[in-house]
Amino acid sequence: GKNLKWKLTDEGVLTITGTGEMQDWHWSKPSPWDAGKSVKQVIIGDGVTTIGDYAFWDCPSLTSVTIGNSVTTIGNFAFYDCRSLKSVTIPNSVRRIEVAAFRNCSSLTLVIIPNSVTTIGDYAFWNCSSLTSITIPNSVTTIGVGAFKQCSSLTSIIIPNSVTTIQSSAFWNCSSLTSIIISNSARIIGEEAFKDCNKIKQIISEAAIPPHCFNNVFVGINTKECKLFVPKNSIDAYKKAKGWNK
């Protein structure tokens, strides 16, 4: 944006300061600091309100990000392919994590998502293969398509009460996932949402009315080894419900 300034030191520290929105970029028109691929640390100052699309796309040496407490949106593909990024703390000003924002951040082990976030976009954390745990806050209403697809180190997940929709392929092939807790507000689980999560041993659904399952939600889960726990008064309903009656 016209009210923002950036500075990149010889040590690879990129600082962005000023007020207002960051410009959106594109893979065919990358950000001005992209050329050297030398960014190791990013500091986004207070006053910056958005992180632009493709802003830090494919920064292979980036290991550390500090996001100011004025940012409300992390743009599409903002940190896509930042394969050395190990952790990120998202401030409680952020409302939206957009499409593929952290996709292919394969070294990312820790993400703290604050309870200001309402939207986790499609493919937001796809193939974050080192991510061992994630806390989805009780402000998120929809988990996007493929949001945590192929997060192969993720061992457990709790879907909070605020979530009504788990989109298709949301946790597809999370091959280390052993337990899922689905809250009582869940209404819709999209196609192949938990497909090939073949180590799951326990699913707890707190929803009194079985969430509507699209095709192949639990395909690839060993139903003989996986235990399903549902509310006592809802057992018959789950036995009759598509997707749950396997």
Side-chain angles (χ1 to χ4, degrees):
K2 60 185 179 181
N3 295 320
L4 301 184
K5 295 179 180 179
W6 65 276
K7 179 182 178 183
L8 179 60
T9 69
D10 292 340
E11 291 76 32
V13 179
L14 174 65
T15 304
I16 299 174
T17 56
T19 56
E21 296 183 356
M22 191 184 297
Q23 183 175 338
D24 289 330
W25 309 96
H26 191 259
W27 61 266
S28 62
K29 185 193 172 187
S31 57
W33 50 80
D34 179 76
K37 303 289 185 189
S38 57
V39 176
K40 296 178 181 176
Q41 181 180 358
V42 170
I43 300 169
I44 299 169
D46 288 337
V48 180
T49 57
T50 65
I51 298 175
D53 295 353
Y54 287 91
F56 309 105
W57 166 68
D58 191 25
C59 288
S61 301
L62 181 62
T63 59
S64 168
V65 177
T66 302
I67 301 173
N69 205 26
S70 50
V71 170
T72 60
T73 301
I74 299 174
N76 300 316
F77 297 90
F79 295 96
Y80 173 50
D81 254 354
C82 291
R83 294 176 184 267
S84 298
L85 187 61
K86 290 181 169 60
S87 69
V88 62
T89 300
I90 298 169
N92 60 11
S93 55
V94 171
R95 303 285 182 268
R96 299 180 63 86
I97 300 170
E98 297 288 12
V99 173
F102 295 95
R103 179 178 167 183
N104 285 1
C105 291
S106 54
S107 296
L108 198 62
T109 58
L110 178 65
V111 179
I112 297 172
I113 302 176
N115 60 9
S116 57
V117 172
T118 59
T119 301
I120 298 177
D122 296 349
Y123 309 112
F125 296 94
W126 182 6
N127 199 31
C128 290
S129 54
S130 298
L131 196 62
T132 54
S133 68
I134 188 86
T135 300
I136 299 172
N138 205 24
S139 50
V140 171
T141 57
T142 299
I143 298 172
V145 173
F148 297 96
K149 184 177 181 178
Q150 291 180 305
C151 289
S152 54
S153 298
L154 202 60
T155 57
S156 65
I157 193 76
I158 298 173
I159 313 289
N161 281 334
S162 55
V163 171
T164 58
T165 303
I166 301 167
Q167 297 277 27
S168 61
S169 304
F171 297 94
W172 182 81
N173 200 22
C174 288
S175 53
S176 297
L177 202 59
T178 58
S179 69
I180 312 165
I181 299 176
I182 299 170
S183 76
N184 57 16
S185 57
R187 297 289 178 265
I188 295 171
I189 303 178
E191 188 170 358
E192 299 181 346
F194 296 98
K195 183 183 178 183
D196 290 341
C197 296
N198 51 20
K199 289 188 179 172
I200 287 182
K201 298 288 187 284
Q202 178 175 277
I203 299 171
I204 299 172
S205 178
E206 298 173 345
I209 299 170
H212 176 75
C213 289
F214 284 83
N215 294 334
N216 301 324
V217 166
F218 299 111
V219 164
I221 295 176
N222 187 334
T223 54
K224 292 180 180 177
E225 292 186 7
C226 180
K227 293 183 177 179
L228 173 63
F229 296 89
V230 303
K232 186 177 180 180
N233 294 334
S234 303
I235 292 173
D236 287 343
Y238 275 86
K239 284 180 177 179
K240 295 173 184 174
K242 177 187 172 183
W244 297 100
N245 57 5
K246 304 290 172 66

